[in-house]
């Protein structure tokens, strides 16, 4: 569905990636534009200048999330036996550090492939530093 074919109740958003089954569920992926560092306590877990920010709208506006490339990881993460599904992004697999779940990554659907190989972190258990 092209943006100009959206129902009148759906606002067009430039660059939005939409759930083909629900045009009201979409995300915008933008470069973070600055250095992003992720800490678990005082331990640096990831450091990147190539992060992206994902803004997702569905039944409500989700908290914007930062996603960092796998190369940004500074410590090995253990993959958990947990998978969830999002009809917009794909299947999420989860990761832990020191026995605590801290991150996830998507095996993305074709139309959301921009997220493949990127990791996001729980903001309530991690310290996220933007900028130098």
């Amino acid at each position: 569905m092209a943006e100009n074919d959206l129902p009148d109740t759906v606002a067009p958003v430039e660059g939005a990636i939409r759930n083909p089954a629900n045009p009201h569920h979409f995300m915008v992926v933008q470069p973070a534009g600055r250095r992003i560092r992720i800490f678990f306590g005082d331990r640096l877990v990831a450091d990147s200048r190539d992060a992206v920010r994902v803004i997702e709208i569905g039944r409500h506006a989700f908290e914007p999330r930062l996603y960092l490339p796998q190369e940004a990881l500074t410590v090995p993460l253990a993959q958990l036996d947990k998978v969830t599904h999002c009809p917009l992004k794909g299947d999420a697999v989860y990761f832990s550090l020191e026995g605590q779940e801290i991150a996830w990554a998507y095996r993305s659907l074709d139309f959301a492939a921009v997220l493949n190989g990127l990791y996001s972190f729980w903001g309530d258990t991690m310290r996220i530093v933007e900028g130098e």
Side-chain angles (χ1 to χ4, degrees):
M1 173 181 295
E3 245 180 36
N4 57 353
D5 295 336
L6 293 174
D8 291 338
T9 57
V10 178
V13 175
E14 188 176 327
I17 298 169
R18 293 188 184 279
N19 174 349
N22 179 0
H24 297 280
H25 185 200
F26 63 92
M27 68 179 166
V28 176
V29 180
Q30 304 169 326
R34 65 184 95 192
R35 182 180 183 192
I36 305 296
R37 288 172 288 159
I38 310 290
F39 292 88
F40 182 69
D42 290 332
R43 190 171 180 188
L44 180 66
V45 174
D47 186 350
S48 180
R49 294 183 186 280
D50 296 317
V52 297
R53 188 177 317 278
V54 174
I55 301 165
E56 181 179 356
I57 305 293
R59 285 185 223 125
H60 61 277
F62 292 87
E63 178 182 343
R65 294 285 181 187
L66 291 164
Y67 284 79
L68 287 72
Q70 184 172 8
E71 306 81 55
L73 299 176
T74 60
V75 297
L77 301 180
Q79 186 170 333
L80 298 171
D81 187 24
K82 176 182 176 182
V83 177
T84 59
H85 179 76
C86 171
L88 176 61
K89 297 184 294 285
D91 291 332
V93 294
Y94 294 81
F95 299 89
S96 68
L97 181 63
E98 298 175 7
Q100 184 171 343
E101 181 182 308
I102 64 164
W104 68 92
Y106 280 97
R107 294 187 295 244
S108 300
L109 297 165
D110 289 342
F111 57 85
V114 66
L115 296 180
N116 279 334
L118 301 180
Y119 289 72
S120 193
F121 298 85
W122 295 115
D124 56 347
T125 58
M126 310 297 286
R127 183 166 51 97
I128 300 170
V129 177
E130 294 192 44
E132 296 301 321

